[in-house]
Amino acid sequence: MIYKIADNVLSPLGNTTSENYQAVKSGRSAIQRHEGFWRLKEPFSSAFFPKEAIAHLCTEGMTPFESLVLYSIQKALEQTELDVTKKNVVLILSTTKGNIELLESQHGKDIDISPATSASRLASHLGMTTEPIAVCNACISGVAAILLAQHLLEAHCYDYAIVCGADVLTHFTVSGFQSLMACSEETCKPFDMERKGLNLGEAAATMILARSIDGNKEAWAIERGAVRNDAYHISSPSKEGKGALLALQAAKGDINNEEIAFINAHGTATLFNDQMESVAVERAGLSDVPVNSLKGYFGHTLGAAGILETVLSMAALDDHTILGTRGFAERGVSGHILLSAHHEATSRQRFIKMISGFGGCNAAMLVTHTSPKQEETRPLPILRAAHHVILTPEHMNVDGRESMLKEGRQLIMLYKQYVNDYPRFYKMDPLCRLGFLAVEMLLQAENSQEDTADKERTVILFNHSSSIVADKAYQKTINSTREYFPSPSAFVYTLPNIVTGEIAIRHGYHNETSFYMLKEKNEETMSKIVRATLADTPTTSAISGWLDYADESHFEADITLFVKQ
């Protein structure tokens, strides 16, 4: 259990958590209809910051995205006496696309738009001395960042975590969701019979979390949570809600339904997401617990969503209120869940936050208003490196056995030689192909020695450049007005965690799959994250390591199969 000691929500509805909560309680929405933006051929509804607000918030030397993050963090820090220069404080940045707009504005120049670079720049500006971590787990990134903070704090890796999620809307992002036919021209209607799709939104949200707090004063705590994978499809959720169900069951634990005020769902108002969530909630035995969505107020704020919605859910229960689902009128999902457009009173002090995203990832966590509990020590497990694979343009090394590779089309040649039974490989972007092959090599080595390691594995991968190759490929489809054809098949790979989804689908892994970014390859930080995660899960093994792809002449997979001792 870890404790929230400060927070901030920055959105078009307000610059503080209080302003945002009061706006939502009064029924206000930031969503508006837009036409003629960028080169988009279709109108859309979204929640943008006004231009003058962005100008006011911008910090010299920072991009608009980074400025929103910095402002939100500083507003949260004002509520504390935290010395961020100490080694016991870590910054965890949650985002889906970060500075992706620079890819278009720089006209194809090679620039570093990695969220890891943004995180390092922000940490330096704040005076922090520890290495920051960027989380890019698609739409669950915010909740995944909070749960990463919990793993690291409970394992005594740090005493405090500054967790901030943010995204800004760009031509890249909006056109991509339009290409998937996921956007609605109207204000979204979560779980409603007439829902037509999602609205996107801009925001930054921060939580400052502590391993322990002094005194008997009650505080909001992250009690427990989990990330689980559908192992079904990279862009469509499991019809049975497999991953969401597993995450809900892990978060709920043995808590009675009567103790839970509500479930704050992802509730994007897309046909498949809302249907899947309703099925998962019913299958988890939570049909009698109220469910709400905040997307009708803010839109889908991507990397900020999980943090923003958690903070506002805390504010609502502080006000003894269950917020209504704006836009909902008549249930349009098959799962039996309790929904209302109206705010309701409650005296309960617990809620569940659930969320899902591309790559088959799902997350849920139990959040509780409670008195400080006796601190639980969660020692880091000892891990044995059972098998190890390195793939570069020049060579392949499997458990110390090295082979030289011929130049050009190395990954396709390796696939034909060692796998050749999974045609989906040819649809993958280069990062996914690299990760897929490295894991195939690992598991072939394992099977050859008849190891008995856990098959329900955790998959945690790291890199610096995110999904830059896929980003550039998609950007080409929207660069030209005359040849404008946003490609959904290209867009879906513009998230680095898709590779973990591909691995989960191939091998039926339903446990945690996560993707993190660092300024550079750092074995100590990577090991700390993997061990802290495995300390909080029943799985006995993990596939983890560095996976980065710049071009066919510059890539590296350095992946290990770890087993708990």
Side-chain angles (χ1 to χ4, degrees):
M1 187 176 292
I2 59 174
Y3 303 91
K4 186 203 73 171
I5 59 173
D7 62 60
N8 172 264
V9 172
L10 171 63
S11 87
L13 289 180
N15 292 359
T16 67
T17 299
S18 176
E19 288 176 5
N20 278 275
Y21 174 68
Q22 291 303 323
V24 170
K25 190 178 180 183
S26 68
R28 288 173 53 203
S29 172
I31 298 169
Q32 296 180 340
R33 193 172 188 271
H34 305 281
E35 291 188 51
F37 267 56
W38 302 301
R39 290 181 294 279
L40 299 174
K41 298 182 182 295
E42 300 174 2
F44 63 99
S45 290
S46 289
F48 282 95
F49 281 100
K51 289 183 178 180
E52 58 272 18
I54 288 288
H56 174 72
L57 294 168
C58 275
T59 298
E60 185 176 356
M62 298 279 181
T63 65
F65 161 71
E66 293 163 356
S67 295
L68 294 183
V69 174
L70 182 61
Y71 183 94
S72 183
I73 290 175
Q74 288 176 329
K75 283 296 182 184
L77 284 171
E78 288 174 4
Q79 304 162 34
T80 75
E81 297 180 355
L82 187 62
D83 183 355
V84 300
T85 66
K86 291 187 175 180
K87 294 290 186 182
N88 64 344
V89 187
V90 64
L91 170 63
I92 303 176
L93 176 64
S94 156
T95 188
T96 60
K97 296 314 301 174
N99 283 324
I100 193 65
E101 63 184 15
L102 298 181
L103 198 60
E104 181 173 17
S105 65
Q106 296 298 313
H107 307 292
K109 294 179 182 177
D110 284 332
I111 55 171
D112 187 352
I113 60 171
S114 168
T117 299
S118 291
S120 294
R121 185 179 295 122
L122 288 158
S124 177
H125 187 94
L126 291 165
M128 301 182 71
T129 55
T130 53
E131 180 177 22
I133 304 161
V135 180
C136 194
N137 252 22
C139 300
I140 77 164
S141 295
V143 173
I146 294 171
L147 294 177
L148 173 61
Q150 183 172 30
H151 297 328
L152 293 171
L153 267 57
E154 289 185 344
H156 288 216
C157 298
Y158 306 95
D159 296 324
Y160 301 94
I162 301 170
V163 182
C164 184
D167 267 297
V168 295
L169 297 187
T170 64
H171 180 200
F172 186 104
T173 307
V174 178
S175 66
F177 277 95
Q178 283 189 336
S179 76
L180 295 169
M181 302 180 68
C183 290
S184 172
E185 295 182 18
E186 307 167 4
T187 301
C188 65
K189 301 176 180 180
F191 298 103
D192 190 72
M193 183 73 72
E194 301 295 329
R195 69 189 187 278
K196 297 180 180 179
L198 58 76
N199 307 140
L200 295 170
E202 298 182 316
T206 301
M207 292 176 64
I208 301 180
L209 299 162
R211 180 168 55 82
S212 61
I213 54 176
D214 297 328
N216 298 315
K217 185 179 180 180
E218 291 195 344
W220 281 105
I222 309 302
E223 195 160 348
R224 58 175 169 265
V227 174
R228 297 290 183 264
N229 201 289
D230 286 334
Y232 173 73
H233 194 275
I234 60 170
S235 61
S236 181
S238 161
K239 296 177 182 179
E240 293 77 30
K242 176 71 173 180
L245 172 63
L246 293 172
L248 278 173
Q249 289 173 332
K252 180 178 181 292
D254 58 359
I255 297 296
N256 295 324
N257 288 9
E258 293 76 17
E259 297 180 54
I260 304 170
F262 58 85
I263 299 167
N264 177 243
H266 195 29
T268 60
T270 56
L271 291 176
F272 297 128
N273 174 85
D274 292 9
Q275 169 64 15
M276 178 277 291
E277 286 194 292
S278 76
V279 170
V281 169
E282 181 178 13
R283 290 185 66 194
L286 293 163
S287 290
D288 59 344
V289 177
V291 173
N292 70 1
S293 167
L294 299 180
K295 297 299 191 293
Y297 303 99
F298 301 96
H300 183 357
T301 56
L302 302 174
I307 303 169
L308 180 153
E309 293 164 5
T310 300
V311 170
L312 287 185
S313 293
M314 292 173 173
L317 282 193
D318 285 337
D319 193 30
H320 307 292
T321 299
I322 301 172
L323 293 171
T325 299
R326 194 179 194 277
F328 171 77
E330 180 181 1
R331 182 165 64 90
V333 292
S334 67
H336 293 284
I337 57 176
L338 290 178
L339 294 157
S340 176
H342 307 291
H343 306 330
E344 299 176 3
T346 184
S347 60
R348 298 177 182 179
Q349 292 291 288
R350 277 191 170 106
F351 69 91
I352 291 175
K353 171 61 191 166
M354 66 182 295
I355 200 163
S356 61
F358 287 174
C361 55
N362 302 267
M365 60 185 181
L366 181 66
V367 185
T368 304
H369 198 254
T370 183
S371 299
K373 301 291 191 297
Q374 184 174 355
E375 185 182 345
E376 297 181 10
T377 301
R378 200 186 300 276
L380 291 173
I382 298 173
L383 302 181
R384 173 176 64 88
H387 300 284
H388 182 210
V389 167
I390 298 175
L391 284 178
T392 72
E394 294 80 27
H395 73 282
M396 175 178 72
N397 187 305
V398 180
D399 289 341
R401 298 185 301 276
E402 187 158 341
S403 304
M404 303 306 294
L405 299 179
K406 297 180 181 179
E407 291 185 8
R409 299 174 63 83
Q410 299 97 326
L411 300 186
I412 290 177
M413 289 190 296
L414 287 173
Y415 167 78
K416 289 179 177 179
Q417 182 175 355
Y418 291 98
V419 186
N420 211 32
D421 66 350
Y422 199 66
R424 181 173 174 77
F425 175 84
Y426 293 103
K427 290 186 176 183
M428 298 177 189
D429 76 309
L431 182 70
C432 287
R433 289 180 179 181
L434 179 61
F436 177 90
L437 283 172
V439 171
E440 291 296 302
M441 300 295 100
L442 270 184
L443 299 185
Q444 287 181 21
E446 177 189 34
N447 293 337
S448 69
Q449 296 185 17
E450 298 183 353
D451 285 356
T452 57
D454 178 18
K455 300 301 180 184
E456 276 298 302
R457 298 204 157 98
T458 293
V459 181
I460 302 176
L461 299 177
F462 303 82
N463 78 5
H464 172 77
S465 60
S466 185
S467 52
I468 187 62
V469 176
D471 293 341
K472 290 178 178 178
Y474 178 74
Q475 183 67 47
K476 288 181 180 179
T477 73
I478 61 173
N479 272 337
S480 170
T481 302
R482 294 177 58 188
E483 300 177 0
Y484 185 81
F485 60 103
S487 169
S489 60
F491 181 71
V492 74
Y493 284 102
T494 61
L495 292 163
N497 75 297
I498 296 298
V499 64
T500 65
E502 293 282 18
I503 293 166
I505 293 167
R506 167 69 164 170
H507 300 288
Y509 294 158
H510 290 287
N511 213 339
E512 175 164 347
T513 56
S514 291
F515 206 104
Y516 304 119
M517 279 159 280
L518 304 173
K519 186 177 180 180
E520 57 188 15
K521 186 178 180 181
N522 185 321
E523 299 285 358
E524 182 180 355
T525 299
M526 292 159 59
S527 174
K528 186 187 300 182
I529 290 172
V530 174
R531 293 171 67 200
T533 301
L534 289 188
D536 196 23
T537 180
T539 188
T540 61
S541 65
I543 292 170
S544 183
W546 189 259
L547 185 74
D548 217 346
Y549 192 105
D551 55 48
E552 64 180 13
S553 299
H554 302 86
F555 62 77
E556 180 187 14
D558 185 352
I559 310 294
T560 302
L561 172 59
F562 292 104
V563 179
K564 280 184 181 179
Q565 292 287 69

